[in-house]
Amino acid sequence: AQSVTQLGSHVSVSEGALVLLRCNYSSSVPPYLFWYVQYPNQGLQLLLKYTTGATLVKGINGFEAEFKKSETSFHLTKPSAHMSDAAEYFCAVSVWAAGNKLTFGGGTRVLVKP
Amino acid sequence: ETGVTQTPRHLVMGMTNKKSLKCEQHLGHNAMYWYKQSAKKPLELMFVYSLEERVENNSVPSRFSPECPNSSHLFLHLHTLQPEDSALYLCASSQDNTAYEQYFGPGTRLTVT
């Protein structure tokens, strides 16, 4: 079965600083990987996804993530944090063999300081 | 309306009440899902429907009863809930139940008193 671990349940960054959210997965077969964002009182919105092909994936709002198979990681970055990036971020994995069910990490809440 | 909508957005109910959560998707998808999001716990998949048939039930207590009358609508009927059932209930849809991309609604915040 696949699993996801997000390191750090809370991250605090200054406005304009680099945002780095860590995600490691476990899967015995090639995974599909996702980052979702949840703003207060809202549902989850897909930020970006990796399925096949280029390992550096660009998403919405200036975020990107890199799939590193050797490290079983899919870390999310944004070069310069904006106040509007304050939200909770979820990494998720699915595999074809498991019917593409999404398995989510525990989430990382991002606080952006002015 | 676009995307996935859920009503009500907030619900407070007593343990002896019966209530229903409603989800509607306007994306032409064939699969719909219920998730439970509790504080300090990862999202939990509860039910999966594909073409109005339940294809997955993740050991959810019988006090939660899903209904999918057509591919656009999904309900979650609630009765005799417990305080630990208080959570955000999220609905999602996808092209089909093997599609990896899911679209989420805003959720219903449920409080059981």
Side-chain angles (χ1 to χ4, degrees):
Chain A
Q2 64 269 25
S3 65
V4 178
T5 301
Q6 290 184 239
L7 292 175
S9 58
H10 291 80
V11 167
S12 182
V13 298
S14 298
E15 192 174 17
L18 171 72
V19 179
L20 170 60
L21 305 183
R22 298 180 187 276
C23 172
N24 288 88
Y25 69 91
S26 172
S27 173
S28 58
V29 297
Y32 300 143
L33 296 159
F34 309 83
W35 277 100
Y36 282 86
V37 60
Q38 186 178 31
Y39 298 103
N41 301 314
Q42 295 187 29
L44 277 69
Q45 180 183 4
L46 182 65
L47 267 181
L48 49 79
K49 64 180 184 282
Y50 168 79
T51 53
T52 57
T55 56
L56 182 63
V57 180
K58 295 185 185 299
I60 61 172
N61 302 339
F63 284 93
E64 63 181 36
E66 186 170 12
F67 169 57
K68 292 187 176 180
K69 184 178 178 181
S70 60
E71 298 177 9
T72 61
S73 69
F74 191 57
H75 302 331
L76 181 71
T77 60
K78 182 174 180 177
S80 177
H82 191 272
M83 297 300 292
S84 60
D85 295 326
E88 190 158 18
Y89 293 80
F90 294 90
C91 184
V93 63
S94 73
V95 297
W96 176 258
N100 282 335
K101 285 188 305 180
L102 284 173
T103 299
F104 286 88
T108 299
R109 189 171 297 278
V110 172
L111 171 67
V112 182
K113 299 176 293 184
Chain B
E1 291 280 10
T2 58
V4 181
T5 58
Q6 291 186 244
T7 55
R9 294 294 308 277
H10 300 272
L11 178 62
V12 179
M13 60 186 288
M15 289 190 285
T16 58
N17 291 160
K18 290 184 180 181
K19 296 286 184 182
S20 296
L21 310 184
K22 179 183 176 182
C23 175
E24 184 173 0
Q25 59 93 3
H26 310 266
L27 300 167
H29 289 166
N30 291 317
M32 298 186 77
Y33 310 77
W34 280 117
Y35 287 87
K36 177 182 180 182
Q37 187 178 28
S38 305
K40 302 181 180 179
K41 291 176 70 174
L43 270 78
E44 302 171 59
L45 178 63
M46 300 174 72
F47 300 104
V48 180
Y49 274 82
S50 176
L51 296 171
E52 301 128 53
E53 282 192 33
R54 191 187 312 177
V55 297
E56 184 139 353
N57 174 352
N58 272 358
S59 303
V60 179
S62 60
R63 57 186 184 269
F64 294 91
S65 175
E67 178 190 2
C68 188
N70 55 62
S71 59
S72 298
H73 293 86
L74 184 65
F75 295 88
L76 189 62
H77 304 300
L78 316 170
H79 63 97
T80 59
L81 294 191
Q82 305 297 310
E84 60 265 29
D85 297 322
S86 298
L88 182 68
Y89 289 84
L90 292 166
C91 174
S93 72
S94 64
Q95 188 66 43
D96 57 56
N97 67 308
T98 62
Y100 46 74
E101 194 161 335
Q102 294 181 20
Y103 296 80
F104 285 79
T108 295
R109 173 71 61 188
L110 174 66
T111 303
V112 181
T113 61

